[in-house]
Amino acid sequence: MISGFFKLILGFVLAIAVLLGSGLTIALYFVNRTALPPEKPMFANDNPQPKVDKPKVTPVKATSTSKPTPTSSPKPSPSPTPTPTPTESPDTLPPGAYQAIVTWPQGLSMRDQPASDAQSIGGVGGNQKVIILEESADKNWQKIRIAGTDKEGWVKAGNTKRVEE
């Protein structure tokens, strides 16, 4: 009779141990899954930069140089290269333009026309430097150029702050 009682107690202890072990395993699984940050979402107006692989550098084997013989023809002289014409840098400010910084933390959508229903042509991040080129007649839109690039578009006015440099 006593051995039957011990079997019963041992059965309960083993059942509780199995339940606690499986519950702890499931809890650790979910804790570890929630500890990983989710991937950054991609929105329609995001322009992800394509990943550019760095070019591989291959060593060049030295070739033997042969001395010119009297019968070989001389090398032609290199032709002069044309000098490039200077172009206006994207950072130069046109008359009436000024530098500003985007104050909207989420960034702004750039449009091709000063209207809410105009096509989105890209975006500019929050706290990014821009050049204000002009304002719309109703002062609700500003034409900007992203500093250091030639990307231009219209953004809602009031989301930039003038910076003095």
Side-chain angles (χ1 to χ4, degrees):
M1 170 138 173
I2 293 179
S3 70
F5 180 70
F6 284 128
K7 287 180 184 178
L8 179 68
I9 297 295
L10 182 63
F12 277 122
V13 169
L14 287 176
I16 290 173
V18 168
L19 287 173
L20 285 176
S22 61
L24 184 62
T25 303
I26 291 171
L28 285 175
Y29 172 78
F30 284 112
V31 165
N32 287 334
R33 292 283 294 172
T34 58
L36 297 174
E39 288 188 31
K40 181 181 175 194
M42 290 294 286
F43 297 103
N45 65 345
D46 286 346
N47 292 328
Q49 299 296 328
K51 292 182 180 178
V52 178
D53 294 334
K54 293 182 180 178
K56 294 181 181 179
V57 178
T58 56
V60 178
K61 293 182 181 179
T63 58
S64 62
T65 58
S66 60
K67 295 181 181 177
T69 59
T71 58
S72 65
S73 63
K75 290 184 179 178
S77 63
S79 62
T81 57
T83 50
T85 57
T87 58
E88 183 178 327
S89 167
D91 285 333
T92 56
L93 297 177
Y98 59 92
Q99 289 191 345
I101 193 163
V102 176
T103 58
W104 191 254
Q106 289 82 12
L108 303 172
S109 286
M110 288 193 325
R111 310 234 177 235
D112 61 352
Q113 299 292 324
S116 296
D117 58 349
Q119 182 178 353
S120 177
I121 57 172
V124 58
N127 216 21
Q128 189 170 356
K129 286 188 176 183
V130 295
I131 299 170
I132 307 295
L133 301 172
E134 63 180 286
E135 289 186 342
S136 63
D138 60 359
K139 305 286 187 199
N140 288 334
W141 293 87
Q142 295 174 323
K143 186 170 186 178
I144 66 164
R145 179 189 306 150
I146 299 175
T149 68
D150 58 351
K151 291 178 103 179
E152 293 183 3
W154 291 90
V155 296
K156 276 293 246 186
N159 296 313
T160 59
K161 178 182 174 186
R162 186 179 193 143
V163 280
E164 300 298 326
E165 287 195 28

